[in-house]
Amino acid sequence: MRSTQIRSTFLDFFTSRGHRQVPSSPLIPSDPTLLLANAGMNQFKPYFLGEVTPDFPRATTIQKCARTSDIDNVGRTNRHATFFEMMGNFSFGDYFKADAIAFAWELLTQGYQLEKDRLWITVYQDDDEAEQLWRKIGVPAERIQRLGMEDNFWSMGVPGPCGPCSEVNYDRGPAFGREGGPAVDGERYVEIWNLVFMQYQRGEGDGKGDFPILGDLAQQSIDTGLGLDRLAAILQDVENVCGTDLLRPTLTTVQELAGRDYPSSGEEKVSFQVVAEHARSIAYLIADGVLPAKDGRGYVLRRLMRRAIRHARLLGIDQPVLAPTTTSVIANLGDVWPELAAQATLIEQVVTAEEESFTRTLAQGTRLLNAAITRSRESRSTTLTGETAFELHDTFGFPVELTIEAARDVGLTIDENRFSDLLTEQQRRAKAGGKAKTAETLRRQDAYRELSARHGRTEFVGYDRLDAEATVLGLISDGTVVPGAEQGSTVELVLDRSPFYAESGGQVGDTGTIRTADGTLLEVLDTKPGLEGFHVHTVRVTEGEIRTGQQAEALVDGARREAVARSHSATHVLHAMLRRTLGDHARQHGSLVDAGRLRFDFAHFSAVDRTQLAAIETLVNDSLLADPEVRVWRASRAEAEAAGATALFGEKYGDHVRIVDIGDFSRELCGGTHIGHGSNAGPVRIIGEASIGSNLRRIEALTGRDALNYYDTERRLLEELSALLGTRPQDAPDALRKRLDALASAERELDRLRETELRDHAQQLAATARAVASGRIVTEKVTGLGPDELRTLAQHTACLLDAGHAVVVLGAEHEGKALLAAAITRSLHDTGTDASRILIPAARAVGGGAGGKGPVASAGGRRTEALDEALTIAAQDAARALGQ
């Protein structure tokens, strides 16, 4: 049964039994606790947690999953993979154990026609009910095994739903291992389907795996997962996942690249499987927006790519391997997963660039690693030193994982403890040398905590208004809480309620004024969060004296706030248009939202060219000109995610979030301030795009009045340029191009004339050559030449004297310096003489040194008055070089 039929059989079975077919979620999850989607239940987590009520009680999916926890087992076992499709059925308070077990048994034995006597069941050690249900359905007691919490109990790892699980295993026969059931041999008895019975509520764990059961869930639910790869290997009667129709075409591509067949055993077999299996993971990850990076999910991708490349090199594949193997993945699976075909160009560009980069690292690192391995073997050591691993990692960028693998492949281990110590020491030094927190900063944090504990959080009222009546709760100076501050002082001030937005999410903090009833005036220079929900205003006392407890009126600079809001809304639109133009991978990785300008960092693998930037700018401005409504609403985190809101990875969000919609094309979780309608943002002008790191780009842009001022400046510059060229603005580029072409032609002609002049001068100098014992010498002081021309003249002159041994030494004054140049003929150079040896004493005379190798040398110094003396010295040394 081919994989397409396996999928359709599964989905048809469950949809015919009242399950809603739900598409796979992307590999990049909206859940900030996960790097990558690793289970079918990920997208249903809000339903299981009771945060959102689903509009369907039953669901079925085929979910794309990525797991690298068992990456070292890929190729070494028959069942492990870093990417797989998890087929699942789910019940949200509808059916429970009896139906889940009945569905699984019916589908496996009738839909897939697996032999009943080859199916073994494991249940949780205390789950009598599950065992009885399996026995009732026809599984004999001797093929049901009870296992402990590590094998047959499921939880999310945090307080919430949990429960026992039951696994269905298939006996592949004695050729795959020993008898005894799943408890004895996981290679022979392959787990194919896991049924999770969510029925309990768990509490906080102890960090060691143990946690209390707090009671029964209000509604019992079902979460199951049937691995497509493993089932396909059984139904297609192949040894491992690489032999299935899911991976076999890619494995064939690896064989073609290696120029030999896939072996039946040994380390080469492992390498064949690693390259093929990782190629599939790489293609899916990039298609879903993951790009190589030094940390996070990007590092997961980079590690997979580097492992695949290294194993390809072990197979003797010296040509690019990632592009052809991922192309075979797309050709094989693109019909089932259209995103692969849609992102084919992106996948090829990313893998090609990464392989070119890593190949250089791999070549250098492998040479050093092999030398270290040889030394270890010669000394009869079984361990590679931690210093070696650290040097490869720190100096040459060679991943420590590959060092460990390479050492293991030849029977060596790495001193990982020593490596960790060296890495920790490096990080300690870096931290000590970096911007560590000062004692004042720590004192300030203590002051914030003191005031927060005494008064609570700041009530922020700035979304709806720009002014507020408030009470001064505290003043902080040099990290210490103080009772008051005099005129001229700059201090930090805390209010009980504030209209000032505190810098967050890339948006700068508000500025403005605070005035007390007695006339004291404070200028608010900045607003930042001191602690979560605690606003700290940096103020300068411009009039009077401020005291704790005073009543005050806080007023935000409205014009600046409006300009910042324009930039923030423009940033959201820019984000949406970047993803529309470049692909979904172009997600935000940071931003600065300021009055009249913005900076936006995003993931992308190459520079965005001028044509693309112009198209993006047009899309942004067209979208704003259409005047979309900017709507702000609040919901639970789960509801926002279900509604498709974009969350920024790494940002902290509470259980209830604020969502900003701009038209029908942008929906993001955001705590910042925005305009009411798109047209209020004014024009957006992109002024720059550049790289800020591996696969990270930055766009800078102006908004509103600042963008108009920029346009006006460009217009005036064009008008001035047009006037200088004597043409109309629209004709200025062509006119300037013609002028530049004419100038370049004139410069070429000048160079030709200058070269002719130098050759004529060389003829004159050659005619002055005087004979010495075994050759000729020219020494002359010339005028009007720079260092390059002086060297050229000396070379031309020596060429004219090339019939025998000759030395040419010329001197000139140029821009307040004494210049010297020497050239010798080829025949003299062949005797072992270098021109620089002749110039060294002369160079000292003018207060400098000589440089250059071979038949040409130059020198210079500040003592122009000694130039004649230097030429005399050089002439004497030249005569000695010629044997006089």
Side-chain angles (χ1 to χ4, degrees), residues 279-329:
R280 179 176 61 170
S281 300
I282 291 163
Y284 277 91
L285 285 167
I286 297 173
D288 273 8
V290 182
L291 293 178
K294 62 182 180 180
D295 53 21
R297 59 174 68 96
Y299 180 72
V300 173
L301 172 60
R302 175 164 284 167
R303 185 182 178 194
L304 289 167
M305 297 170 86
R306 290 180 168 185
R307 286 188 94 238
I309 295 167
R310 176 178 171 270
H311 279 276
R313 299 300 180 264
L314 292 176
L315 293 172
I317 303 173
D318 294 326
Q319 65 197 88
V321 67
L322 295 184
T325 52
T326 52
T327 297
S328 74
V329 171

Coordinates of all heavy atoms in Angstrom, one line a residue, residues 279-329:
A279 N 17.5 15.3 4.2 CA 17.1 16.1 3.1 C 15.6 16.4 3.1 O 15.1 17.5 2.8 CB 17.4 15.4 1.8
R280 N 14.8 15.4 3.5 CA 13.3 15.6 3.6 C 13.0 16.6 4.7 O 12.2 17.5 4.5 CB 12.6 14.3 4.0 CG 11.1 14.4 4.1 CD 10.4 13.1 4.3 NE 10.9 12.4 5.6 CZ 10.3 11.3 6.0 NH1 9.2 10.8 5.4 NH2 10.7 10.7 7.1
S281 N 13.6 16.5 5.9 CA 13.4 17.4 7.0 C 13.8 18.9 6.6 O 13.0 19.8 6.8 CB 14.2 17.1 8.2 OG 13.9 15.8 8.7
I282 N 14.9 19.0 5.9 CA 15.4 20.3 5.4 C 14.4 21.0 4.5 O 14.0 22.1 4.7 CB 16.8 20.1 4.8 CG1 17.8 19.7 5.8 CG2 17.2 21.4 4.0 CD1 19.1 19.2 5.2
A283 N 13.9 20.2 3.5 CA 12.9 20.8 2.6 C 11.7 21.3 3.3 O 11.2 22.4 3.0 CB 12.6 19.7 1.5
Y284 N 11.1 20.5 4.2 CA 9.9 20.8 4.9 C 10.1 22.1 5.8 O 9.2 22.9 5.9 CB 9.3 19.7 5.7 CG 8.5 18.7 4.9 CD1 9.1 17.6 4.3 CD2 7.1 18.9 4.7 CE1 8.3 16.7 3.6 CE2 6.4 18.0 4.0 CZ 7.0 16.9 3.4 OH 6.2 16.0 2.7
L285 N 11.2 22.1 6.5 CA 11.5 23.2 7.4 C 11.6 24.5 6.6 O 11.0 25.5 7.0 CB 12.7 22.9 8.2 CG 12.6 21.9 9.3 CD1 14.0 21.5 9.8 CD2 11.8 22.4 10.5
I286 N 12.3 24.5 5.6 CA 12.5 25.8 4.8 C 11.2 26.2 4.2 O 10.8 27.3 4.1 CB 13.6 25.6 3.7 CG1 14.9 25.3 4.4 CG2 13.7 26.8 2.8 CD1 16.0 25.0 3.4
A287 N 10.4 25.2 3.7 CA 9.1 25.5 3.0 C 8.2 26.2 4.0 O 7.3 27.0 3.7 CB 8.5 24.2 2.5
D288 N 8.3 25.8 5.3 CA 7.4 26.4 6.3 C 8.0 27.7 7.0 O 7.5 28.2 8.0 CB 7.1 25.4 7.4 CG 5.9 24.6 7.1 OD1 5.4 24.7 5.9 OD2 5.4 23.8 7.9
G289 N 9.1 28.2 6.4 CA 9.7 29.5 6.9 C 10.9 29.5 7.8 O 11.3 30.5 8.3
V290 N 11.5 28.3 8.0 CA 12.7 28.2 8.9 C 13.9 28.5 8.0 O 14.0 27.9 6.9 CB 12.8 26.9 9.6 CG1 14.0 26.8 10.5 CG2 11.5 26.6 10.4
L291 N 14.8 29.4 8.5 CA 16.0 29.6 7.8 C 17.2 29.3 8.7 O 17.1 29.4 9.9 CB 16.1 31.1 7.3 CG 15.1 31.5 6.3 CD1 15.3 33.0 6.0 CD2 15.3 30.7 5.0
P292 N 18.4 28.9 8.1 CA 19.5 28.6 9.0 C 19.9 29.8 9.9 O 19.9 30.9 9.4 CB 20.6 28.2 8.0 CG 19.9 28.0 6.7 CD 18.7 28.8 6.7
A293 N 20.2 29.5 11.1 CA 20.6 30.5 12.1 C 21.5 29.9 13.1 O 21.7 28.6 13.2 CB 19.4 31.2 12.7
K294 N 22.1 30.7 14.0 CA 23.0 30.2 15.0 C 22.3 29.8 16.3 O 22.9 29.2 17.2 CB 24.0 31.3 15.4 CG 23.4 32.5 16.0 CD 24.5 33.6 16.2 CE 23.9 34.9 16.8 NZ 25.0 35.9 17.1
D295 N 20.9 30.0 16.4 CA 20.2 29.5 17.5 C 18.8 29.2 17.2 O 18.3 29.4 16.0 CB 20.3 30.6 18.7 CG 19.8 32.0 18.2 OD1 19.1 32.0 17.2 OD2 20.2 32.9 18.9
G296 N 18.0 28.7 18.1 CA 16.6 28.5 17.9 C 16.3 27.4 16.9 O 17.1 26.5 16.6
R297 N 15.2 27.5 16.2 CA 14.8 26.6 15.2 C 15.7 26.7 14.0 O 15.9 25.7 13.3 CB 13.3 26.8 14.8 CG 13.0 28.2 14.3 CD 11.6 28.2 13.8 NE 10.6 28.1 14.8 CZ 10.0 29.2 15.4 NH1 10.4 30.4 15.1 NH2 9.2 29.0 16.4
G298 N 16.3 27.9 13.8 CA 17.2 28.0 12.7 C 18.5 27.2 12.9 O 19.1 26.7 11.9
Y299 N 18.8 27.0 14.2 CA 20.0 26.1 14.5 C 19.7 24.6 14.2 O 20.5 23.9 13.8 CB 20.5 26.3 15.9 CG 21.7 25.4 16.2 CD1 22.9 25.7 15.7 CD2 21.6 24.3 17.0 CE1 24.0 24.9 15.9 CE2 22.6 23.5 17.3 CZ 23.9 23.8 16.7 OH 24.9 23.0 17.0
V300 N 18.4 24.3 14.5 CA 18.0 22.9 14.3 C 18.2 22.6 12.8 O 18.7 21.6 12.4 CB 16.5 22.7 14.7 CG1 16.0 21.3 14.2 CG2 16.3 22.8 16.2
L301 N 17.7 23.5 11.9 CA 17.8 23.4 10.5 C 19.3 23.3 10.1 O 19.7 22.4 9.3 CB 17.1 24.5 9.8 CG 17.3 24.6 8.2 CD1 16.8 23.3 7.6 CD2 16.7 25.8 7.7
R302 N 20.1 24.2 10.6 CA 21.5 24.3 10.2 C 22.2 23.0 10.6 O 23.1 22.5 9.9 CB 22.2 25.5 10.9 CG 23.7 25.5 10.7 CD 24.2 26.9 11.0 NE 23.9 27.8 9.9 CZ 24.0 29.2 10.0 NH1 24.4 29.7 11.2 NH2 23.8 29.9 9.0
R303 N 21.9 22.4 11.8 CA 22.5 21.2 12.3 C 22.1 20.0 11.3 O 23.0 19.2 11.0 CB 22.1 20.9 13.7 CG 22.8 19.7 14.3 CD 22.3 19.3 15.6 NE 23.0 18.1 16.1 CZ 22.6 17.4 17.2 NH1 21.5 17.8 17.9 NH2 23.3 16.3 17.6
L304 N 20.9 20.0 10.9 CA 20.5 18.9 10.0 C 21.2 19.1 8.6 O 21.7 18.1 8.1 CB 19.0 19.0 9.7 CG 18.1 18.6 10.8 CD1 16.6 19.0 10.6 CD2 18.1 17.1 11.0
M305 N 21.4 20.3 8.2 CA 22.1 20.5 6.9 C 23.5 20.1 7.0 O 24.1 19.4 6.1 CB 21.9 22.0 6.5 CG 20.5 22.4 6.2 SD 20.3 24.2 6.0 CE 20.7 24.4 4.3
R306 N 24.2 20.5 8.1 CA 25.6 20.2 8.3 C 25.8 18.7 8.5 O 26.8 18.1 8.0 CB 26.1 21.0 9.5 CG 26.2 22.5 9.1 CD 26.8 23.3 10.3 NE 27.1 24.6 9.8 CZ 27.7 25.6 10.6 NH1 28.0 25.3 11.8 NH2 27.9 26.8 10.1
R307 N 24.9 18.0 9.2 CA 25.1 16.5 9.3 C 24.9 15.9 7.9 O 25.7 14.9 7.6 CB 24.0 16.0 10.2 CG 24.2 16.3 11.7 CD 23.2 15.5 12.6 NE 23.8 14.2 13.0 CZ 23.2 13.0 12.8 NH1 22.2 12.9 12.1 NH2 23.8 12.0 13.3
A308 N 24.0 16.3 7.2 CA 23.8 15.7 5.8 C 25.0 15.9 5.0 O 25.4 15.0 4.3 CB 22.5 16.3 5.2
I309 N 25.5 17.1 5.0 CA 26.7 17.4 4.2 C 27.9 16.6 4.6 O 28.6 16.0 3.8 CB 27.1 18.9 4.3 CG1 26.0 19.8 3.6 CG2 28.4 19.2 3.6 CD1 26.1 21.3 4.0
R310 N 28.1 16.5 5.9 CA 29.2 15.7 6.4 C 29.1 14.2 6.0 O 30.1 13.6 5.5 CB 29.3 15.8 7.9 CG 30.4 14.9 8.5 CD 30.6 15.0 10.0 NE 31.5 14.0 10.4 CZ 31.2 12.8 10.8 NH1 29.9 12.4 10.8 NH2 32.1 11.9 11.2
H311 N 27.9 13.7 6.2 CA 27.7 12.2 5.8 C 27.9 12.0 4.3 O 28.3 11.0 3.8 CB 26.4 11.7 6.3 CG 26.5 11.3 7.8 ND1 26.9 10.1 8.2 CD2 26.2 12.0 8.9 CE1 26.9 10.1 9.5 NE2 26.4 11.2 10.0
A312 N 27.5 13.1 3.5 CA 27.7 13.0 2.1 C 29.2 12.9 1.7 O 29.6 12.2 0.9 CB 27.0 14.1 1.4
R313 N 29.9 13.7 2.4 CA 31.4 13.7 2.2 C 32.0 12.4 2.6 O 32.9 11.9 2.0 CB 32.1 14.9 3.0 CG 31.6 16.3 2.6 CD 31.8 16.6 1.1 NE 31.3 18.0 0.8 CZ 30.2 18.2 0.3 NH1 29.3 17.2 0.0 NH2 29.8 19.5 0.0
L314 N 31.5 11.8 3.7 CA 32.0 10.5 4.1 C 31.7 9.4 3.0 O 32.4 8.4 2.9 CB 31.3 10.0 5.4 CG 31.7 10.8 6.6 CD1 30.8 10.3 7.8 CD2 33.2 10.7 6.9
L315 N 30.7 9.7 2.2 CA 30.3 8.7 1.1 C 31.1 9.1 -0.2 O 31.0 8.4 -1.2 CB 28.8 8.8 0.7 CG 27.9 8.3 1.8 CD1 26.5 8.6 1.4 CD2 28.1 6.8 2.0
G316 N 32.0 10.1 -0.1 CA 32.8 10.5 -1.2 C 32.1 11.4 -2.2 O 32.6 11.7 -3.3
I317 N 31.0 12.0 -1.8 CA 30.2 12.9 -2.6 C 30.8 14.3 -2.4 O 30.6 15.0 -1.4 CB 28.7 13.0 -2.3 CG1 28.1 11.5 -2.4 CG2 28.0 13.9 -3.2 CD1 26.7 11.4 -1.9
D318 N 31.6 14.8 -3.4 CA 32.3 16.1 -3.2 C 31.5 17.2 -3.9 O 31.8 18.4 -3.7 CB 33.7 16.0 -3.8 CG 34.6 15.1 -3.1 OD1 34.5 15.0 -1.8 OD2 35.4 14.4 -3.7
Q319 N 30.5 16.9 -4.7 CA 29.7 17.9 -5.3 C 28.5 18.3 -4.4 O 28.3 17.6 -3.4 CB 29.1 17.3 -6.6 CG 28.1 16.1 -6.4 CD 27.9 15.3 -7.6 OE1 28.7 14.4 -7.9 NE2 26.9 15.7 -8.4
P320 N 27.8 19.3 -4.7 CA 26.7 19.7 -3.9 C 25.7 18.6 -3.7 O 25.3 17.9 -4.7 CB 26.1 20.9 -4.7 CG 27.2 21.5 -5.4 CD 28.1 20.3 -5.8
V321 N 25.2 18.4 -2.5 CA 24.2 17.3 -2.3 C 22.8 17.8 -1.8 O 21.9 17.1 -2.1 CB 24.8 16.4 -1.2 CG1 24.9 17.0 0.2 CG2 24.1 15.1 -1.1
L322 N 22.8 18.9 -1.2 CA 21.5 19.3 -0.6 C 20.5 19.8 -1.7 O 19.3 19.5 -1.6 CB 21.7 20.5 0.4 CG 22.5 20.1 1.6 CD1 22.5 21.3 2.6 CD2 21.8 18.9 2.4
A323 N 21.0 20.5 -2.7 CA 20.0 20.9 -3.8 C 19.4 19.7 -4.5 O 18.2 19.6 -4.7 CB 20.8 21.9 -4.7
P324 N 20.2 18.8 -5.0 CA 19.6 17.6 -5.7 C 18.7 16.7 -4.8 O 17.7 16.2 -5.3 CB 20.8 16.8 -6.3 CG 21.9 17.3 -5.5 CD 21.7 18.7 -5.1
T325 N 19.1 16.6 -3.6 CA 18.3 15.7 -2.7 C 17.0 16.4 -2.3 O 15.9 15.7 -2.2 CB 19.1 15.2 -1.5 OG1 19.6 16.4 -0.8 CG2 20.2 14.3 -1.8
T326 N 17.0 17.7 -2.0 CA 15.8 18.3 -1.6 C 14.9 18.5 -2.8 O 13.6 18.4 -2.7 CB 16.0 19.7 -1.0 OG1 16.9 20.5 -1.9 CG2 16.7 19.6 0.4
T327 N 15.5 18.6 -4.0 CA 14.7 18.6 -5.2 C 13.9 17.3 -5.4 O 12.8 17.3 -5.9 CB 15.6 18.9 -6.5 OG1 16.2 20.2 -6.3 CG2 14.8 18.9 -7.8
S328 N 14.6 16.2 -5.1 CA 13.9 14.9 -5.2 C 12.8 14.8 -4.2 O 11.7 14.2 -4.5 CB 14.9 13.8 -5.0 OG 15.3 13.6 -3.7
V329 N 12.9 15.4 -3.0 CA 11.9 15.4 -2.0 C 10.7 16.1 -2.6 O 9.5 15.7 -2.5 CB 12.4 16.0 -0.7 CG1 11.2 16.3 0.2 CG2 13.4 15.2 0.0

